[in-house]
Amino acid sequence: MGRMRGIFLLVVFLLGLSLGLSPALRAQSIEDSGKGLIWYESVIGTSSSLGTVTRFDSTVGYNFNRHFGVDFGVPFLFVHASSSTTTTLRSANGIGDIYTDLRFTLRNPAVNFISTLRGAAPTGSTSNGFSTGRATVNWNNHFDRTFGRVTPYAELGLANTAPDTAYFVRPSTTLGLTGHFEGGAALQLARLLNFHASVYAIEPAGQQKVFSKFLNRTSAPTVPASHGRFFQTAPETVGSADIARDHGFSLGFDSRPFRAVDLAIGYTRSATFDLNTLYFGVGFNLARLLGSSSH
């Protein structure tokens, strides 16, 4: 049994190295670090018919107590376009928008609540679609409650940019007032393995700008968009709320096989964009590894 358990852990770990860490699991790992230092390193991304968008994130901060925490992050983005697409796409890499998170957590038998306010500075390239060129703010509120092995959850937020959802690093960056929602449930399949299923909605309002991560201002001329994929047809698009709206669902597995390692694999179907993506990455909670946080 011990040998089989070791093989299982190794398989899960190797899968995670190639296929995934979800934003939800990363946030939970940071929040669960307890009072003290926050230090989290991750590589996450999505792969689709367009290509891959990979994001390396380095986050450092401090949890003051079980309710309040703050962290700062620096992302690096690597975009590799697929050669099989009919549209001329391009690859690029560079720094994204550096950010800070202010977080409030309230654990309660009735419902758990985590509210996060993220502010990002426009340090990324707008020509590469890594930034809007403006400061962005995202206020997200997470609710969950566990019933045995099942944990239903919901997230509601308001931002001036469309945030990444669980298992979906977006192929574009947007600017404009946006409401976002995600709801679903996690099922504990085993002590080290959870299954997640959720639906999401990005609901913009007013004028929107879409900056493509696969096209820059020197790319091919604009062509008509199909399935709302303006990020595939023009480097920058300005229009109504419809150009940034998105709905879909995600399925995924996550695991914490070791004390400081978070892994996941996921699939997202964007019904609006008619786009299928696989999510991949791995995360390391170095503060927990160093034992600098108290629980």
Side-chain angles (χ1 to χ4, degrees):
M1 289 296 292
R3 184 179 179 182
M4 291 299 295
R5 181 174 181 271
I7 294 175
F8 171 74
L9 289 176
L10 179 61
V11 170
V12 172
F13 179 72
L14 292 176
L15 279 172
L17 282 175
S18 60
L19 294 170
L21 170 72
S22 76
L25 188 60
R26 171 188 174 277
Q28 179 185 346
S29 183
I30 290 177
E31 191 274 330
D32 286 346
S33 293
K35 179 181 178 180
L37 175 69
I38 296 169
W39 184 11
Y40 200 85
E41 302 291 333
S42 66
V43 51
I44 61 176
T46 52
S47 177
S48 69
S49 58
L50 300 174
T52 60
V53 181
T54 306
R55 173 176 171 137
F56 290 82
D57 241 318
S58 182
T59 305
V60 177
Y62 194 84
N63 282 326
F64 299 102
N65 51 47
R66 61 180 180 175
H67 297 302
F68 296 100
V70 60
D71 60 67
F72 304 87
V74 181
F76 291 89
L77 296 167
F78 295 82
V79 176
H80 181 72
S82 172
S83 59
S84 63
T85 57
T86 56
T87 306
T88 302
L89 304 180
R90 64 98 180 94
S91 302
N93 59 76
I95 190 173
D97 286 353
I98 61 174
Y99 60 86
T100 181
D101 292 330
L102 302 176
R103 186 173 49 261
F104 171 74
T105 302
L106 183 63
R107 297 292 187 183
N108 188 280
V111 64
N112 297 313
F113 172 64
I114 304 173
S115 184
T116 305
L117 181 65
R118 168 169 292 192
T123 54
S125 168
T126 55
S127 62
N128 287 336
F130 297 166
S131 175
T132 65
R134 299 272 297 275
T136 57
V137 178
N138 179 24
W139 180 31
N140 187 65
N141 298 281
H142 173 96
F143 305 84
D144 71 69
R145 181 177 177 179
T146 299
F147 301 89
R149 290 179 174 267
V150 179
T151 303
Y153 63 88
E155 294 193 1
L156 303 168
L158 189 65
N160 64 344
T161 185
D164 295 333
T165 61
Y167 307 111
F168 190 23
V169 178
R170 295 191 165 277
S172 63
T173 304
T174 69
L175 179 65
L177 182 64
T178 301
H180 53 90
F181 165 81
E182 183 174 357
L187 172 65
Q188 184 181 14
L189 299 177
R191 188 172 67 88
L192 298 175
L193 185 64
N194 300 304
F195 171 73
H196 293 258
S198 64
V199 295
Y200 72 85
I202 302 294
E203 289 293 343
Q207 178 177 282
Q208 301 286 317
K209 289 185 178 181
V210 175
F211 301 84
S212 174
K213 292 176 182 174
F214 286 95
L215 294 170
N216 57 29
R217 291 188 174 92
T218 62
S219 298
T222 300
V223 295
S226 175
H227 300 289
R229 295 189 193 180
F230 293 94
F231 49 79
Q232 192 176 350
T233 59
E236 181 179 337
T237 304
V238 180
S240 67
D242 289 338
I243 69 172
R245 182 171 286 111
D246 185 24
H247 305 88
F249 67 89
S250 297
L251 305 172
F253 296 88
D254 67 54
S255 177
R256 185 174 294 165
F258 307 104
R259 181 170 178 263
V261 180
D262 295 318
L263 309 173
I265 178 173
Y267 163 80
T268 293
R269 167 68 179 176
S270 169
T272 303
F273 300 146
D274 189 25
L275 186 66
N276 301 307
T277 62
L278 290 177
Y279 188 94
F280 58 91
V282 61
F284 298 93
N285 190 330
L286 299 183
R288 176 174 292 166
L289 183 66
L290 297 174
S292 59
S293 297
S294 60
H295 294 270

